[in-house]
Amino acid sequence: MTCPSRVLQFLIAAALLAALYSCAPAPVTPADAPEQTEAQADEARGAGETARAAELYDAAAEAYEEAADRNRVSIAAARTWLDADERDAATTALARVEPDHLDDRGRAHFTLARAQLALARERPDRAASLLDNLAEPPAGEEADYHRLRATAAAGLDNHLMVVEQRVALEDHLETPSQRDENRNLIWQALGRAPAQQLQAIEPDADTYGGWIRLAQIARSHRLDPERLEEAVSAWEEAYPDHPARDRQATELITRFHERIRRPEHVALLLPLSGDFRDAGRAVRDGILAAYFNDANRRPEVTVHDTGGEAERARAALAEAREAGSDAVIGPLTRDAVRAVADIDDAPPILALNTLEDGDSHDHLFLFPLSPEAEAQQAARHAHRRGWTSVVVLAPRTDWGERVQQAFQETFEAGDGTVLQSEAYDADETDFSGPIREVLNLRISSRRHQELTRTFGQTLEYQPRRRQDVDAVFLAAFPEAGRLLRPQLEYHHAQDVPVLSTSHIYGGTPRPEDDRDLDGLHFVDGPWLVGQSPGIPAELKHERLTEKLGDVMARQARLVALGIDAYRIFPYLEVLEEHPEERLDGLTGGLHLNSERIVERELVTAQFVRGRPVFRQPATEGRHHDTEKEGE
């Protein structure tokens, strides 16, 4: 029995090995001639076997004797490795290329491959710079050229360039599904383009101009369905053969006219007494300002005082439900939001804060003014400016720690380096200690002291700050910021850009007080820096300042939050179904993420003569600025 048993075991093992061998990928076996190997690679690439094709291209490149052949096939290998998401192998393939042996067509293909590698390494600025050097795409490569330029522009938040390149790309797409996808990406880019930049364009009668005009209509009239439908009809007459007629124009009316949900009875749950009463009243005033300027059918509105407390928020929600409210805006404080989040069978709620645990609830949407989100956008702005090494100054508070951490994580995720972070005491007026630390001035001073002791005499000494810093990220409120900014200059950082969040600005121009902030860059909502196209005249910043006086002086940002909360509520379900859609709000470009949180896309501004000046990103991935004085 032993011998047959062993034979049986052998046969089973052999069968298993044969099965495994049959499932294993076929090894790459180059043909004898490099031309045949290259042909095999072309065939494998056409069949979608990108990794095998890339290996065959590598083998052919190594076998070719002529430099021109090695170059051609090495470039093909690199681009195929990138299609297989193998960046290191692509880098190796490109390293074989001998640029001196490239003709004009070869140099163009080499540039495309290098740009593709730069994008794979998340360097859209490098990709855009490379592609700038191509006067035109090589024949047969037009689709890849325009696609790469669009991808680079998207990485640089240059959304109008994305539109321009994808409009050009459409002529080189082969299938209806490719064209549909491309048109959707055009529409998404138009939704992300700064409203100020978009509205400044005078559109031509060509395809690009038709996209721009449709986007201008959408951004101006989304919140006014009757005017929207009229404007889209006029657009269809002006652009009868435009590709957006097939889908985007029709869906625009469907989404923002037929699908919006206008509540009948809105309950406001806000702290009108207690420690948070000023904040609650500012939000209320903003909501009521939007309500009285609503051109559509207005709901009934009732106001419930939560006092900023969890139990009172629960009681207020119960009162609202008893009264038949079918929509709720608020609460404002985090504890109160937590309290209403756990109540079943509640009407849709747009809460004006966050939940720490990240829980989701079917009835709950969140609209916070998150300092962490602003710090993340400041980090991305630093990347767009080309700042790769920064230092951070933040207050020694829980708020300061959260802002510093959010900035650092986002900045370093984009290959930036935070060289050093220092905390300061916001109650002090002299910040020389943390400033000297973060600029390495203490090290410079100690070096001077050591030299003095070594030579036994006093030496001339000019403190020297660190030279490896591109910018300072400053987390601060106005009072501390007005002291910190000039003290940074005093400590030899006059030529170092300073970047902050909206918290550095009170929300209303105070040029006499804010002159010490001159030159500082910050991110904020467009309304706060005098940029709010499409906003009704009665909701303009200066008009509400006349009406609300001290409330605007102290709490303009919360007034803007109230206006946006009222205006966005009917569109929450549309935004949830279509996360690519954006609404132009006073606090930023608004969209809904997968966790039902309203996210804000901010603009950038800079203090000039004590006033915020809107900064508008220019084209082609480089950050040039144009100025427009804030209101």
Side-chain angles (χ1 to χ4, degrees), residues 389-392 417-422 434-444 447 463-472 491-493 495-496:
S389 300
V390 304
V391 295
V392 177
T417 301
V418 174
L419 301 168
Q420 191 170 341
S421 297
E422 290 293 332
I435 289 175
R436 289 173 64 83
E437 288 289 349
V438 83
L439 296 178
N440 280 357
L441 288 170
R442 289 195 189 281
I443 295 175
S444 176
R447 189 179 300 116
R464 180 176 172 81
R465 66 162 177 82
R466 67 191 312 156
Q467 298 299 303
D468 56 351
V469 59
D470 295 327
V472 176
H491 286 91
H492 313 286
D495 57 340
V496 181

Side-chain angles (χ1 to χ4, degrees), residues 104-157:
D104 289 344
R105 180 176 174 80
R107 277 191 290 273
H109 282 275
F110 187 41
T111 298
L112 290 178
R114 293 169 68 199
Q116 188 177 348
L117 178 59
L119 289 173
R121 295 192 179 282
E122 298 182 354
R123 286 293 310 275
D125 54 337
R126 175 63 176 156
S129 179
L130 286 165
L131 294 167
D132 278 350
N133 295 324
L134 285 180
E136 59 184 17
E141 297 286 351
E142 292 87 355
D144 278 350
Y145 169 81
H146 291 299
R147 192 178 288 113
L148 288 171
R149 294 208 72 165
T151 304
L156 295 165
D157 289 337

Side-chain angles (χ1 to χ4, degrees), residues 561-601:
L561 175 63
I563 294 171
D564 278 352
Y566 178 87
R567 285 161 61 88
I568 198 177
F569 198 101
Y571 302 91
L572 291 174
E573 292 181 7
V574 171
L575 295 178
E576 185 173 21
E577 292 176 12
H578 301 281
E580 75 279 3
E581 291 286 1
R582 302 292 192 271
L583 291 179
D584 291 318
L586 281 64
T587 60
L590 309 177
H591 69 277
L592 203 64
N593 70 17
S594 60
E595 297 175 340
R596 300 179 121 203
I597 299 173
V598 178
E599 293 185 338
R600 303 181 297 130
E601 294 176 358

Side-chain angles (χ1 to χ4, degrees), residues 268-300:
L268 310 184
L269 273 58
L270 298 170
L272 304 179
S273 60
D275 293 341
F276 300 97
R277 61 183 178 275
D278 289 343
R281 292 171 183 176
V283 173
R284 176 202 61 191
D285 290 349
I287 291 172
L288 294 179
Y291 173 83
F292 286 115
N293 283 278
D294 189 352
N296 302 291
R297 177 178 51 82
R298 294 187 297 211
E300 180 183 351

Side-chain angles (χ1 to χ4, degrees), residues 197-249:
Q197 193 176 22
L198 185 67
Q199 299 294 351
I201 299 174
E202 188 64 39
D204 293 326
D206 57 8
T207 301
Y208 176 79
W211 281 110
I212 294 296
R213 181 60 191 137
L214 186 62
Q216 291 173 339
I217 290 168
R219 302 284 281 269
S220 298
H221 303 313
R222 271 179 175 151
L223 305 185
D224 189 348
E226 300 300 331
R227 291 187 65 190
L228 174 65
E229 190 165 3
E230 293 174 4
V232 170
S233 295
W235 176 87
E236 290 176 329
E237 291 181 10
Y239 298 91
D241 300 319
H242 198 277
R245 285 176 60 99
D246 296 341
R247 181 174 177 183
Q248 281 75 21

